Every structure is written in C-alpha cells, then in structure tokens.
Amino acid sequence: MQIGIPAETLAGETRVAATPETVKKFAALGCEVLVQAGAGLASSATDAAYEAAGAKVVATAADALANADFVLKVAAPTAEEAALMKQGATVLAAFAPHANPHFDAYAARGLTCVAMELIPRITRAQSSDILSSQANLAGYKAVLLAANEYAGLFPMMMTAAGTIKPARIVVLGVGVAGLQAIATGKRLGAVVEASDLRPAAKEQVESLGGRWLDVPMSDEEKAKALGTGGYAWQPSPEYIRDQAAVVDKAVSQANIVITTAQIPGRKAPVLVKAETVAKMKPGSVIIDMAVGSGGNVEGSAPDQTVVTENGVRIVGISNIPALVATEASALYARNLLNFLAPMHDKESGRIVLNREDDMVKPTLVVDSGTVIYKKPN
Ligand code: NAD
C-alpha cells in the first residue's frame, strides 16, 4: 500500500507530515512512501534523507497523491489538492473542521478524512495528540518571540552599575501551551503569574514556580468546573466580570503577556480589553496565541504586530509551530505514525482504519465520501 506526502501549500506552513524517521518506520511496515520533492526542506529534511529512509521522491504533488491509499498532511487539503487524490483515499491532517469550506470536494472524491485535532484527550491517545505536541512547542516559542520583541530583559541582574528588576510575565490560559510558556519564562528568569478558569491549573502553575492569579468562584461555579472533567467550562457573567478585574490589575503591571485561552471549535474568549492594554507600560509585549481563533486580546490581528498608541506591541502569529518547523514536524509526524501503526495488519501488510476504536471514531469528519462532522452548538 502507498502513503503519499505532498509538500504543504498553505502560505507560511513550513511543516511536513512525515520525516525521514517516520518514513523509515512506515517502510519497515511494508508501506511504499512517496514524498514530493522539497516537501521537507523547510523542516530540515532533505530529499536525500527521505530516499535514504526508503521513500521514493517524486516531482509533483500529483505524483505523490495519484495512487496513495493514505495521504499525510499538516494543513487541510484544498479542493484542488483533494482532486489530485485517489478515489477513496484516507487523509490525515489538521482539518479545522469548524472552518473548513472544502468538505464537498472531499466527499466528491470519496475520501475518508481523519481530523487529527479531534483525537480524544484519553491516556491511550496522548502519543497521537497533535494539539498537545504543537501547543507545547508553540508555548515555548511564544516566550522567545516575546523576549525578542521586548526592549528589556527577563532576569534580575545585579551589575556594578545597579540592579535590573526581573520582567513580569502574565500567562492567561494554562493548558499545554500556557504551562510551557510559564516554564520557559521561569527558566529565563522572569517573574510569572498565570490564570485559568480551571481551578486544577493552580497547582500546576505553582509547581512551575508561577504565582496563581485567583478569580473568586462561587460554589456553583466550582461544581460546574469540576463537572467538565478538567476542561474549560462556560463562565458566568459574574465570573467574567471578576476575571476582567483580576486580569486588568495583573496585565497593567506586566511587561509581557502571553494569552493561550481557546475553546475548541469556537471563537476564543476576549480576556484582555483595550482599556487594560492602554494602562500597560510602553515597550510591553503581548503575544496573543489565540489570534487564529478570534484572539484573546482586543486589538490583536492575525499575522501582524500592532503597536498601540501607548507603545505596547501586540503580536498575533497564527501559526507559531511553523516557526519551529524542524521539531514541530518531528513530533507531528510521530503523532501520525503512532496513530496509524497500531492499525497495521501484519497478514495483509495494510493499514486498516478501525472505525470502532474510541480513539479513531471521533476523528472521522468525512467517511468514504459521506460528511459526518457536525459543528458543536
Ligand atoms: P486549550 O488550548 O483548548 O485552551 C488553553 C487553556 O485556556 C485551557 O487550559 C482552558 O481552560 C483555558 N481557557 C479557556 N477559556 C478560558 C477563559 N475564558 N478564561 C481563562 N482560561 C480559559 O487547552 P489545552 O492546552 O488543549 O488543554 C485543555 C485541557 O486538556 C487541560 O486540562 C489539559 O491538561 C488537558 N489535556 C489532556 C490531555 C490528555 O489527557 N491526553 C492532553 C492534552 C491536554
């Protein structure tokens, strides 16, 4: 059976869905892997490295896709890319199903589309969890981006000419990206404060040496938060009001703000108001990691650095993992391998999607040409 790896076509997408390391493992399973020439270059993977790993490097996307039973991609295929695929092929990608306009094109081709971002957060699925692997790297990179944009330094420094105070970082949203941002900020010597509407995040923030920004919660809200099994809950107007006050106080004194709060499939909550940004010191930096899903910060814009009247730089990069493409591709490619390899059938030598598997079932947005994805309410 064939696996096709086309070069990514989305502007700014530097990652690739298979690396020489994963190609070698697919080849060892008996798969023939076709990689489009140059597909891995922006992720430091040369055509020669793919060939050495057992892939066949082909000139065009059409060559890589025409006979592929499985197609591995980072971004969702466009309608044009889907038209190059074999009828009935299975495609693994981050399909962004809530905002994807190409489902009819996938259906017309009889494709089966596996939206890797819909993998459930169960223990067994952790090694295939693309949201976690990419958010982790993005959280790290966001802090480095902030350090670059910031006119000051992060650590306290005692010099002969006097002492420099450490930078104050506020992290809003303490999931995978937020935790890595806290750890990275601490490693660079900053003072870090953080908040999340999941009370369980408090212990994690403190274990990394951060200070928890507490938003008062009623008993009813605490019960609601527990009831979601550790995931974000729908905050009440009272919580939103109290949170805004806590955020306003902390952010107006911060040098760096990193926001990561997202709600899968929905618009991100606005956590930092323009009036709060207006109170920040000139030269402060905000990295809005949720800018691709509407943004956590009033005034942020996708793929732009907005400089406010009071000299605050609001950085909105919609694809931070693409800025660390080598490692992001390595982890993403392993996520896909970890997902597919257990479904390899030794006897037939084929990978057979197990549609009843509780890890696979929620990811199927199009199955053999039938669109089955339903937008969350
Ligand atoms: P995410 O990217 O969806 O959101 C980032 C954070 O923002 C989350 O912690 C969320 O609670 C928070 N947030 C959302 N709305 C908010 C608001 N209005 N105000 C303040 N904070 C808000 O999150 P994620 O990184 O994907 O992680 C979500 C949860 O899933 C976490 O509890 C994480 O530990 C858990 N998780 C579990 C597994 C697993 O078990 N396999 C894997 C990854 C993540």
Side-chain angles (χ1 to χ4, degrees), residues 120-123 125-126 129 131-132 135 172-179 195-198 201 204 229-233 235 239-240 243 260-264 269 271:
R121 256 72 197 273
I122 53 176
T123 307
Q126 276 181 10
D129 183 347
L131 290 183
S132 292
L172 298 175
V174 188
V176 179
L179 284 173
S195 187
D196 195 292
L197 46 64
R198 293 178 301 105
Q204 295 170 333
Y231 290 92
W233 48 282
Y239 181 90
I240 292 172
Q243 183 190 43
T260 79
Q262 310 218 41
I263 306 162
L271 300 180

Side-chain angles (χ1 to χ4, degrees), residues 326-367:
T326 302
E327 279 79 13
S329 298
L331 298 189
Y332 184 92
R334 278 186 215 147
N335 289 148
L336 301 196
L337 173 76
N338 293 336
F339 181 81
L340 289 175
M343 293 186 276
H344 177 255
D345 177 47
K346 267 196 192 139
E347 264 175 42
S348 65
R350 301 185 70 80
I351 293 170
V352 184
L353 215 55
N354 179 0
R355 289 168 163 76
E356 294 316 310
D357 187 314
D358 57 6
M359 186 168 106
V360 177
K361 213 173 180 176
T363 66
L364 292 176
V365 289
V366 181
D367 190 359

Side-chain angles (χ1 to χ4, degrees), residues 3 33 40 58 65 155 169 223 249 263 269 271 286 308 331 334 338 364 368-369:
I3 300 181
V33 187
V58 294
L65 298 175
I169 301 183
K249 187 160 178 245
I263 306 162
L271 300 180
I286 303 177
T308 63
L331 298 189
R334 278 186 215 147
N338 293 336
L364 292 176
S368 312

